[in-house]
């Protein structure tokens, strides 16, 4: 007894299966995790090492090189990039894409061990390297907090309070604050007094350093107990620090007698944050990876509401990005699209097959969708853009299984066959071909879902959901569909096959098909010609890696000349903020000066610390407002900001990021690298007019002031180079002498010269050897200006300069890259220098390369399955000859709409090929079955194709119309057009091409068999 008949005979078990899918799917819907986009692991850690006083070149050679050498010995490492600036080395360590996210913790431990071992080889003065392996944490609930009128200390206390309270919320993994105004206690001695009194700077620094130190004081034995002794409390106020005593020459002085002590904001903070022009700090909340971000966000909102009475009046929390709200809205909108797609499918079926068939197929489709949600919850697959999109991608193949069975039963029952017999006949004939076709459809996506890189990780849920839904659709098609057909379909009075397909449409198709079979060589030539033309047209389609996001946000970046102070950058950015505030199409503007924002989105990469860098996160009311606003903003900035480089950037779905066009030159000599970069810039500009904001990541060389050490005079006076550096530090930024503890806060105590007391050359240096002050001009031969690279990038241990460029919004990176590629690659490189492309070309090439490694195996499995289904080579060849035709409609659709061929369009093309192969398998299998009944060859081909024309057209129509809701989704628009255009064109061709190819390849063997 076949499965389909058993599903009717054992109706209770089938009902349990159906009700189980429904109820478990409802449970899965409420239990499954929710995200905006699928998570992918940022397989990168950062090693930061400070080397105060060293130039960028010294940092690169003395710090980055030994650390990189040790790190490179790790087999898991893929790429090492370092950024070397005066006094600090930042090394980004990227592990191989084949390393899974769960394998990273031991890799990071190994990295720490390697760095720790190499730290012993670092020069004196270099601090202990710090390894940050949480570089990729995402703080998706992101607030800007304004507190006008509050002191800096009160803002710190407020941030500490909020962080402590939100960390206690269930599901919160971490809370990060940025942009809090940095405070310091400044001790500013008078040079005249200290000089006349003979107070060495070291005495002041020593007194301050011990002001608030914590040290052990021992313990006492008191009988049965041991009593600990604690050191006396240190200074706990600015006044106490001012009252510190200093012993000099047998006399005791108060610090306040010779110095001014104050607590104030540091002059040059690392970062300044503003919201709509008002000073602010940010609070980012990250949820646990295992938690539903929507629920976590709702808990955070509820906790903040509870704290409203404890938050001081005037403090406001402004959301910059609320991932849980975005996810909830996106999920809801997408579920509406999914429901619309299902409704469209049911409506089309009702018109074409009647309401009974619509209920049968629609119910099966609904059970498949909700059942898939259950398995998503079981396997921990979140409901996000990709997994929900996978359901719509699979819609055509999902409904096809049920249509084949339902249509076959409806026809046979209309001819007088009882439901059980009809189910057994149709199910027995189609269940294996449908299973094989279903597995082939799944394997079409295996290459993407199983790709080991970030793109594969990003799209894994696509493969998983399609696999689950298609297999479930096959199970329900051969169980639930026959049972529902048993209840709803009517048994007719009997009749021949001609009655079932005697309508005008079927007769017209049969007539066209017979004509095509008679002139099959001409048809094949026409098909080849059409396909060749479409392939040529396909080459004209714009190429893009991932499409732009549909979140109404975009970025603006300001890069000032290297060495610009942070306040100059802030002043320049304030002009843009004022202009944006006056616009009605701008909802909010968040400004980040000195470094990028907290990573609030997975696809956002924060910019490293640089006082000349400024970021604007601009939110509009709708995504449609962005293009015009960007154009106006760029035009305004061109006039308002002549000093800096101002550029805008759209959010992009998926992994990647960075400049769309990038060319890297590597080699030992920085001078030669800058020359190559300049040559590449000229070559790019000459080759294309679509390049904007050309720049290098080394930025401009910077003037550096260096005293010339007079060796003989200085050594005779007992003055070392370090003494000169120390007095210059004291005279400018100040010397960090200690820390002032205020609760958990550590506020630096900085000893510095009073403003405008003396110029640099007039400083005096205390000589311990001579126990006297020595004028600095006696131990140096003046101050010299030097031009230095203060931003040196290295890649895999080689100095590497990158030429970067942006592109206009109406062109793609692939177009521009094609235009400039030959000109840049023609640059002659000196011996020992290398070149490589970066940007979107590198990202897409790596993704396609990874995909290319997986696809051959997937296609091999697909081919083998098709061969096993038929046991011959010719029938599978007929089916696979259809696949190239899938490009025909795709080219027409994308060229007609002007949409680029994105990575999601590639998904649509794979889905399309799966649908064509599936239709081809069932069609060819039907021809073989009709021939086996003894029908003449041509008539068998026609009869089989006529019997399959309605299921093929219905599956195509339901799929095409079901894609309509996705046309408004920025992420899936190109994929929807790919499937709609490709399927509309290829389905008509398939109904002609498949029988024609079948006739060409199998007619002679059929004639030989008939003659035998």
């Amino acid at each position: 007894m076949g499965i389909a008949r058993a599903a009717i005979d054992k109706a209770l078990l089938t009902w349990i299966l159906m009700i189980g899918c429904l109820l478990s799917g409802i449970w899965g819907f409420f239990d499954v995790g929710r995200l905006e986009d699928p998570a992918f692991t940022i397989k990168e850690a950062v090693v930061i090492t400070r080397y105060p006083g060293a130039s960028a070149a010294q940092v690169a050679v003395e710090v980055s090189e030994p650390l990189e050498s040790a790190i490179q010995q790790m087999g898991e490492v893929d790429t090492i990039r370092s950024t070397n600036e005066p006094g600090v080395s930042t090394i980004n360590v990227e592990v191989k894409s084949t390393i899974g996210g769960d394998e990273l913790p031991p890799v990071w431990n190994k990295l720490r061990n390697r760095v720790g071992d190499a730290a012993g080889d670092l020069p004196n003065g270099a601090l202990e390297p710090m390894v940050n392996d949480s570089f990729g944490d995402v703080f998706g609930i992101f607030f800007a907090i304004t507190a006008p009128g509050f002191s800096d200390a009160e803002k710190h206390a407020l941030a500490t309070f909020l962080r402590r309270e939100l960390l206690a919320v269930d599901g919160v993994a971490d809370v990060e604050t940025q942009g809090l105004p940095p405070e310091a206690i400044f001790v500013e001695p008078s040079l005249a007094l200290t000089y006349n009194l003979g107070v060495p700077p070291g005495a002041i620094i020593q007194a301050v350093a011990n002001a608030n130190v914590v040290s052990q004081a021992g313990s006492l034995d008191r009988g049965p107990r041991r009593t600990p002794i604690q050191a006396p409390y240190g200074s706990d106020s600015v006044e106490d620090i001012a009252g510190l005593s200093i012993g000099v020459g047998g006399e005791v002085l108060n610090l306040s007698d010779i110095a001014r002590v104050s607590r104030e904001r540091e002059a040059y903070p690392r970062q300044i944050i503003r919201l709509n022009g008002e000073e602010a700090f940010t609070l980012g909340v990250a949820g646990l990876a295992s938690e539903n971000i929507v629920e976590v966000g709702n808990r955070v909102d509820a906790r903040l509401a509870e704290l409203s009475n404890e938050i001081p009046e005037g403090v406001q929390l402004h959301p910059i990005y609320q991932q849980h709200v975005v996810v909830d809205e996106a999920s809801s909108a997408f579920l509406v699209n999914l429901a619309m797609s299902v409704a469209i499918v049911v409506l089309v079926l009702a018109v074409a097959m009647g309401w009974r068939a619509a209920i049968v197929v629609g119910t099966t489709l609904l059970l498949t969708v909700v059942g898939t949600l259950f398995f998503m919850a079981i396997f921990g697959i979140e409901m996000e853009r990709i997994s929900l999109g996978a359901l719509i991608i699979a819609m055509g193949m999902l409904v096809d299984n049920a249509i084949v069975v339902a249509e076959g039963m409806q026809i046979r029952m209309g001819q007088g066959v009882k439901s059980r017999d009809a189910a057994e006949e149709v199910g027995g004939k189609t269940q294996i071909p449908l299973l094989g076709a279903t597995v082939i459809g799944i394997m079409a996506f295996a290459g993407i879902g199983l790709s080991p890189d970030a793109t594969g990780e990003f799209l894994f849920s696509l493969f998983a959901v399609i696999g689950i839904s298609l297999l479930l659709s096959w199970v329900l098609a051969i169980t639930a569909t026959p049972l529902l057909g048993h209840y709803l379909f009517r048994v007719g009075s009997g009749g021949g096959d001609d009655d079932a397909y005697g309508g005008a449409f079927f007769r017209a198709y049969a007539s066209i098909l017979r004509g095509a079979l008679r002139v099959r060589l001409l048809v094949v030539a026409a098909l080849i010609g059409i396909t060749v033309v479409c392939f040529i047209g396909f080459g004209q389609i714009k190429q893009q890696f991932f499409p732009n996001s549909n979140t109404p946000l975009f970025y603006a970046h300001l890069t000032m000349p290297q060495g610009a102070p942070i306040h100059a950058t802030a002043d320049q950015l304030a002009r843009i903020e004022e202009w944006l505030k006056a616009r009605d199409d701008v909802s909010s503007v968040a400004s980040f000066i000195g470094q990028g924002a907290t990573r609030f989105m997975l696809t956002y990469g924060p910019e490293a610390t640089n006082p000349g860098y400024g970021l604007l996160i601009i939110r509009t009311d709708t995504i449609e407002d962005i293009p015009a606003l960007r154009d106006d903003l760029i035009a305004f900035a061109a006039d308002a900001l002549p000093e800096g480089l101002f550029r805008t950037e759209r959010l992009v779905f998926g992994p990647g990021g960075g400049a769309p066009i990038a060319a890297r030159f590597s080699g030992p000599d920085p001078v030669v690298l800058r020359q190559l970069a300049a040559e590449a810039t000229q070559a790019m500009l000459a080759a294309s007019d679509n390049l904007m904001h050309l720049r290098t990541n080394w930025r401009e060389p910077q003037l550096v002031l260096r005293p010339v050490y007079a060796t003989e005079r200085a050594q005779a006076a007992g003055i070392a180079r370090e003494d000169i550096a120390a007095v210059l530090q004291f005279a400018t930024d100040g010397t960090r002498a200690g820390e002032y503890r205020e609760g958990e806060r550590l506020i630096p105590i900085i000893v510095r010269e009073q403003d405008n007391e003396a110029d640099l050359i007039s400083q005096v240096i205390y000589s311990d050897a001579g126990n006297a002050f020595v004028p600095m001009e006696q131990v140096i031969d003046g101050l010299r200006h030097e031009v230095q690279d203060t931003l040196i990038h290295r890649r895999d241990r080689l100095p590497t300069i990158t030429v970067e460029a942006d592109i206009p919004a109406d062109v793609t990176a692939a177009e521009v890259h094609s235009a400039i590629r030959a000109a840049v690659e023609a640059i002659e490189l000196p011996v020992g220098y290398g070149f490589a492309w970066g940007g979107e070309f590198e990202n897409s090439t790596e993704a396609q390369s990874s995909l290319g490694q997986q696809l051959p195996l997937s296609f091999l499995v697909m081919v083998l399955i098709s061969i096993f289904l038929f046991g011959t080579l010719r029938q599978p060849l007929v089916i696979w000859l259809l696949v190239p035709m899938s490009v025909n409609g795709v080219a027409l659709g994308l060229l007609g709409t002007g949409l680029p061929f994105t990575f999601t369009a590639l998904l649509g093309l794979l889905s399309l090929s799966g649908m064509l192969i599936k239709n081809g398998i069932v069609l060819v299998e039907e021809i073989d079955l009709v021939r086996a009944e003894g029908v003449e060859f041509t008539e068998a081909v026609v009869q089989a194709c006529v019997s399959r024309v309605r299921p093929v057209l219905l599956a195509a129509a339901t799929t095409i119309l079901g894609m309509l809701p996705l046309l408004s989704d920025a992420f899936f628009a190109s994929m929807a057009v790919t499937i709609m255009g490709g399927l509309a064109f290829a389905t008509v061709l398939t109904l002609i091409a498949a029988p024609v190819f079948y006739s060409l390849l199998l007619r002679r063997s059929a004639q030989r068999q008939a003659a035998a």
Side-chain angles (χ1 to χ4, degrees):
M1 182 170 59
I3 298 175
R5 187 183 186 109
I8 299 174
D9 291 341
K10 307 291 185 182
L12 177 61
L13 297 179
T14 308
W15 277 111
I16 290 175
L17 173 64
M18 294 166 61
I19 295 173
C21 284
L22 180 63
L23 297 180
S24 61
I26 293 173
W27 170 84
F29 173 77
F30 289 104
D31 190 71
V32 70
R34 283 171 170 78
L35 290 173
E36 179 184 8
D37 292 305
F40 61 90
T41 306
I42 298 176
K43 301 170 183 177
E44 191 171 337
V46 180
V47 181
I48 300 175
T49 310
R50 301 198 177 277
Y51 187 15
S55 68
Q58 288 175 306
V59 168
V61 173
E62 300 178 24
V63 175
S64 293
E65 169 59 29
L67 292 178
E68 290 171 354
S69 178
I71 294 169
Q72 197 175 45
Q73 298 173 28
M74 294 174 57
E76 298 88 350
V77 170
D78 181 36
T79 304
I80 301 174
R81 294 175 286 110
S82 68
T83 303
N84 302 276
E85 303 171 82
V88 61
S89 159
T90 303
I91 302 175
N92 293 73
V93 182
E94 187 176 344
V95 302
K96 293 177 179 177
S97 60
T98 52
I99 303 293
D102 55 345
E103 302 175 77
L104 287 179
V107 173
W108 299 146
N109 288 335
K110 186 175 180 180
L111 173 65
R112 285 189 175 85
N113 293 336
R114 292 279 186 179
V115 170
D117 292 343
D121 297 328
L122 298 182
N124 291 332
L127 305 183
E128 188 73 18
M130 298 180 295
V131 179
N132 177 17
D133 61 6
S134 60
F135 176 73
D137 289 353
V138 179
F139 297 82
I141 305 170
F142 192 41
F143 294 98
I145 301 174
T146 56
F150 285 71
S151 68
D152 293 344
E154 289 170 334
K155 291 178 181 178
H156 279 270
L158 173 63
T160 301
F161 166 73
L162 291 173
R163 184 175 187 274
R164 182 180 65 244
E165 293 297 328
L166 293 183
L167 277 173
V169 174
D170 186 29
V172 171
D174 194 10
V175 179
E176 180 178 279
T177 58
Q178 269 194 353
L180 285 164
E183 287 187 288
I185 296 173
F186 294 98
V187 177
E188 299 171 314
S190 168
L191 285 185
L193 290 175
T194 55
Y195 179 80
N196 290 326
L197 294 173
V199 180
I204 299 174
I205 293 174
Q206 185 65 34
V208 170
N210 295 328
N212 209 14
V213 70
V214 175
S215 57
Q216 292 183 341
S219 59
L220 290 175
D221 271 332
R222 294 299 186 191
R225 297 181 181 177
R226 190 169 182 82
T227 303
I229 303 174
Q230 293 183 347
Y233 286 117
S235 303
D236 56 4
S237 68
V238 173
E239 290 76 13
D240 285 344
I241 294 176
L244 289 173
S245 299
I246 303 174
V248 179
E251 297 184 8
V252 177
L253 300 173
N254 285 334
L255 189 58
S256 60
D257 294 334
I258 58 172
R260 183 172 63 217
V261 181
S262 62
R263 174 172 170 169
E264 56 190 76
R265 184 179 297 188
E266 290 186 28
Y268 297 99
R270 288 171 56 88
Q271 187 178 35
I272 298 172
I273 296 176
R274 295 192 291 249
L275 182 74
N276 298 326
E278 185 178 358
E279 186 179 276
F281 65 92
T282 60
L283 188 77
V285 181
L288 292 169
S290 58
E291 291 284 330
N292 184 333
I293 190 61
V294 175
E295 295 179 1
V296 174
N298 290 337
R299 293 188 207 119
V300 169
D301 289 343
R303 183 57 183 151
L304 288 174
E306 293 172 1
L307 295 173
S308 59
N309 291 331
E310 300 182 53
I311 297 175
E313 188 71 25
V315 174
Q316 290 187 310
L317 278 72
H318 309 267
I320 296 177
Y321 192 78
Q322 292 179 293
Q323 188 182 30
H324 61 294
V325 175
V326 174
V327 169
D328 197 30
E329 292 176 351
S331 298
S332 300
F334 214 92
L335 287 173
V336 170
N337 289 342
L338 185 60
M340 290 174 60
S341 297
V342 173
I344 290 171
V345 168
V346 173
L347 181 61
V348 172
L349 292 173
V351 172
M353 296 178 65
W355 67 269
R356 297 177 188 274
I359 292 176
V360 171
V361 177
T363 302
T364 305
L365 181 59
L366 178 63
L367 291 175
T368 302
V369 171
V370 297
T372 301
L373 293 176
F374 166 71
F375 285 104
M376 287 172 62
I378 291 295
F379 295 130
I381 302 172
E382 290 89 358
M383 186 187 296
E384 27 78 2
R385 191 185 313 276
I386 300 299
S387 59
L388 288 173
L391 289 174
I392 294 184
I393 292 174
M395 190 71 69
M397 291 182 279
L398 292 180
V399 74
D400 195 26
N401 286 333
I403 287 177
V404 169
V405 175
E407 202 252 2
M409 280 190 65
Q410 192 177 42
I411 294 296
R412 295 300 291 149
M413 290 176 68
Q415 295 169 350
V417 179
K418 292 185 178 180
S419 61
R420 286 177 172 82
D421 296 332
E424 184 166 18
E425 178 185 340
V426 174
K429 164 170 91 168
T430 60
Q431 63 188 20
I432 298 303
L434 286 178
L435 177 61
T438 298
V439 175
I440 286 177
I442 295 170
M443 292 306 299
F445 294 90
I448 289 179
L450 300 179
S451 179
D453 63 355
T455 303
E457 189 177 0
F458 184 75
L459 295 171
F460 173 77
S461 62
L462 178 87
F463 167 67
V465 171
I466 285 179
I468 292 169
S469 60
L470 288 184
L471 288 176
L472 185 57
S473 76
W474 178 81
V475 172
L476 291 172
I478 61 173
T479 54
T481 302
L483 180 62
L484 294 171
H486 165 72
Y487 291 131
L488 291 175
F489 294 156
R490 297 295 184 217
V491 178
S493 58
D497 291 346
D498 293 338
D499 294 334
Y501 303 107
F505 170 76
F506 295 106
R507 292 197 307 270
Y509 170 63
S511 176
I512 294 172
L513 182 55
R514 286 190 177 93
L517 292 173
R518 282 195 298 270
V519 292
R520 50 189 175 274
L521 292 177
L522 184 60
V523 171
V524 170
L527 290 172
I528 293 174
I530 292 172
T531 303
V532 169
V533 170
C534 289
F535 264 96
I536 294 172
F538 191 83
Q540 306 303 313
I541 297 173
K542 297 178 180 179
Q543 305 289 312
Q544 188 175 350
F545 187 31
F546 274 101
N548 293 329
S549 171
N550 55 8
T551 302
L553 281 179
F554 71 99
Y555 306 132
H557 306 270
L558 172 64
T559 306
M560 296 288 286
Q562 183 73 349
I566 191 169
H567 294 296
T569 308
D571 292 342
Q572 294 292 316
L573 213 57
R575 301 180 187 178
I576 302 294
E577 292 173 83
E578 289 299 320
W579 183 85
L580 288 169
K581 284 167 60 178
R583 297 274 302 205
D584 294 333
D585 50 1
V586 175
S587 298
S588 65
V589 183
S591 308
F592 300 83
I593 302 103
Q595 69 181 74
T598 297
R599 189 188 293 272
F600 64 96
M601 297 177 69
L602 192 57
T603 54
Y604 168 71
E607 189 81 11
T609 301
N610 191 316
Y613 172 75
L615 167 71
L616 295 175
I617 300 177
I618 305 167
R619 177 177 287 275
T620 60
D621 294 326
T622 65
I623 191 173
E624 289 76 17
D625 295 330
I626 292 179
L629 176 61
R630 284 183 71 189
D631 292 342
D632 293 346
L633 177 58
I634 291 171
F636 172 77
D639 295 330
L641 303 178
E643 296 180 32
L645 173 65
F646 185 84
R647 57 192 176 88
T648 61
E649 177 188 0
R650 282 292 305 275
L651 274 70
V652 176
F653 288 114
I661 301 295
R664 294 194 299 265
F665 295 91
S666 300
D669 190 345
V671 175
V672 176
L673 290 179
R674 285 197 179 273
Q675 292 172 350
L676 291 172
E679 191 175 347
T681 300
Q682 294 301 319
M684 289 181 180
L685 290 172
S688 175
D689 295 329
N690 289 319
L691 291 166
M692 304 165 56
H693 311 135
L694 267 80
R695 58 199 183 273
T696 71
N697 63 341
W698 285 33
R699 302 177 65 183
E700 304 85 3
Q702 188 175 345
L703 277 177
V704 176
L705 191 62
R706 182 187 296 275
V708 180
Y709 183 68
T711 305
E712 294 183 0
R713 299 198 306 272
Q715 290 179 348
I719 303 298
R721 290 179 172 84
E722 292 79 6
D723 297 326
I724 297 174
V727 77
L728 291 173
Q729 175 79 20
F730 165 77
T732 54
D733 296 333
T735 301
R736 183 164 179 158
E739 292 173 335
Y740 170 83
R741 296 198 312 278
E742 188 173 75
E744 66 268 33
R745 284 187 66 195
L746 296 177
I747 303 173
I749 304 174
I750 297 175
V751 180
R752 68 182 183 185
E753 184 179 301
Q754 294 182 9
D755 292 339
N756 303 320
E757 193 162 8
D759 56 29
L760 290 181
I761 201 69
S762 301
Q763 298 295 318
V764 292
I765 307 171
Y766 187 80
S767 170
D768 290 326
N771 198 26
F773 286 96
V774 178
M776 189 172 71
E777 59 185 343
Q778 293 184 8
V779 294
I780 65 171
D781 290 328
L783 299 171
R784 178 184 301 167
H785 284 90
E786 297 179 2
V787 178
Q788 290 186 1
D789 289 315
T790 56
L791 191 59
I792 299 175
H793 289 266
R794 290 161 55 97
R795 187 180 181 93
D796 293 332
R797 300 179 62 191
L798 282 175
T800 303
I801 192 169
T802 304
V803 181
E804 301 174 336
D806 297 325
I807 56 176
D810 57 345
V811 299
T812 64
E815 290 179 85
V816 178
H817 180 265
S818 298
I820 66 173
R821 181 171 184 173
V824 176
E825 292 180 354
I827 295 174
E828 185 175 351
L829 300 178
V831 177
Y833 291 80
F835 168 78
W837 287 105
E840 187 170 305
F841 176 79
E842 181 180 42
N843 294 333
S844 60
T845 300
E846 290 178 353
Q848 291 167 7
S849 174
S850 179
L851 178 62
Q853 295 174 8
Q854 309 299 319
L855 279 182
L857 179 60
S858 302
F859 277 111
L860 177 62
V861 173
M862 295 165 69
V863 171
L864 289 177
I865 291 174
S866 61
I867 293 174
F868 291 153
L869 281 174
F870 295 99
T872 65
L873 291 177
R874 293 184 181 182
Q875 281 89 339
L877 181 58
V878 170
I879 295 164
W880 282 95
L881 285 173
L882 304 175
V883 174
M885 293 191 301
S886 62
V887 175
N888 297 347
V890 174
L892 295 175
L894 292 177
L895 286 172
T897 58
L899 291 172
F901 185 78
T902 63
F903 203 85
T904 55
L906 175 61
L907 304 182
L909 189 58
L910 292 177
S911 174
L912 181 61
S913 65
M915 295 177 197
L916 289 175
I917 293 171
K918 187 171 186 179
N919 284 336
I921 286 175
V922 180
L923 183 63
V924 171
E925 178 73 14
E926 184 69 17
I927 297 175
D928 285 348
L929 291 173
V930 176
R931 284 180 56 202
E933 296 174 359
V935 181
E936 186 270 333
F937 182 86
T938 300
E939 192 59 30
V941 172
V942 173
Q943 284 186 21
C945 291
V946 168
S947 69
R948 281 293 298 156
V949 65
R950 181 162 64 174
V952 169
L953 289 178
L954 281 178
T958 52
T959 302
I960 291 169
L961 295 175
M963 289 288 158
L964 287 175
L966 292 184
L967 291 176
S968 60
D969 189 296
F971 186 74
F972 285 113
S974 61
M975 185 202 73
V977 170
T978 296
I979 293 177
M980 294 172 73
L983 197 56
F985 195 88
T987 298
V988 177
L989 288 177
T990 300
L991 291 172
I992 302 298
V996 167
F997 288 141
Y998 189 97
S999 178
L1000 275 175
L1001 294 175
L1002 283 91
R1003 176 178 290 275
R1004 289 186 179 179
S1005 64
Q1007 290 173 346
R1008 287 195 298 268
Q1009 290 176 5

